[in-house]
Amino acid sequence: MLYQVETMFDDVDKKVKKLKKNQYEANMEAFLEQNDMYFAEMEAYLNKGNPETAAKEISKTFVEAVKNRFEVKGKIKGYVQVDLNFFMIYYVFPAILKRENEHSKLLADTLCETWGNTFKNSKIGYTDYDTLYNSFNEKIFGIFGRK
């Protein structure tokens, strides 16, 4: 299940740094296109059995794959973890919710909890793509200043 799902984190640092509204929109479109197979697989798995059990299994597999990819000597560097957290918030959770499957929220909740329990200082939240996209001024949440 989810063979090489960690590849969706390729170029994570480039996709979360100095993010602007129009860049985020283009990045998200590319992200969805490149990773549709993973989200379709998650959705199919959720739909074929017990959704709660499936959400836990998907979340565990997903988090372990990311952990194995980015862990060095049993730890993930702080700045890498911050980028991973932002990537989850900007791309992964909105992509899950964008599919509008009846179990999307269950999967997002379970993945968010599993993520927070696995990684240090990673109790994160999430929102849908439209809410996040509309929160941009020129840059995400106006963090880097306004035009």
Side-chain angles (χ1 to χ4, degrees), residues 4 26 50 69 86 93 99 112 116 134:
Q4 294 185 334
N50 178 327
R69 169 148 183 210
F86 277 127
F93 291 120
R99 295 184 67 89
C112 190
N134 291 326

Side-chain angles (χ1 to χ4, degrees), residues 23-34 91 129:
Q23 180 187 14
Y24 175 60
E25 184 177 24
N27 285 356
M28 180 55 115
E29 286 177 22
F31 176 78
L32 290 170
E33 186 177 310
Q34 293 163 356
Y91 298 100
Y129 172 79

Side-chain angles (χ1 to χ4, degrees), residues 7-121:
T7 60
M8 74 170 56
F9 287 79
D10 289 350
D11 299 324
V12 65
D13 55 333
K14 293 176 187 169
K15 290 180 180 167
V16 298
K17 300 290 186 199
K18 299 180 183 176
L19 196 57
K20 296 182 180 181
K21 190 173 191 170
N22 62 350
Q23 180 187 14
Y24 175 60
E25 184 177 24
N27 285 356
M28 180 55 115
E29 286 177 22
F31 176 78
L32 290 170
E33 186 177 310
Q34 293 163 356
N35 297 291
D36 183 66
M37 64 187 165
Y38 295 119
F39 295 109
E41 183 180 354
M42 290 179 205
E43 198 172 273
Y45 197 71
L46 284 166
N47 291 337
K48 80 178 194 186
N50 178 327
E52 290 179 12
T53 301
K56 287 177 184 176
E57 290 172 3
I58 291 166
S59 297
K60 183 180 179 199
T61 300
F62 184 95
V63 169
E64 285 300 313
V66 174
K67 183 178 176 188
N68 290 338
R69 169 148 183 210
F70 290 96
E71 208 171 51
V72 177
K73 296 182 182 179
K75 295 182 181 182
I76 296 177
K77 292 180 181 178
Y79 70 91
V80 173
Q81 188 63 60
V82 169
D83 285 352
L84 296 175
N85 292 346
F86 277 127
F87 191 83
M88 291 292 291
I89 294 165
Y90 293 158
Y91 298 100
V92 177
F93 291 120
I96 290 169
L97 297 174
K98 202 168 183 56
R99 295 184 67 89
E100 297 181 348
N101 178 276
E102 66 179 301
H103 304 298
S104 293
K105 184 162 178 6
L106 171 65
L107 178 58
D109 287 343
T110 307
L111 182 56
C112 190
E113 181 181 348
T114 304
W115 187 269
N117 291 337
T118 303
F119 298 113
K120 183 178 178 183
N121 299 321

Side-chain angles (χ1 to χ4, degrees), residues 118-130:
T118 303
F119 298 113
K120 183 178 178 183
N121 299 321
S122 295
K123 298 284 185 188
I124 58 176
Y126 66 87
T127 191
D128 62 88
Y129 172 79
D130 292 329

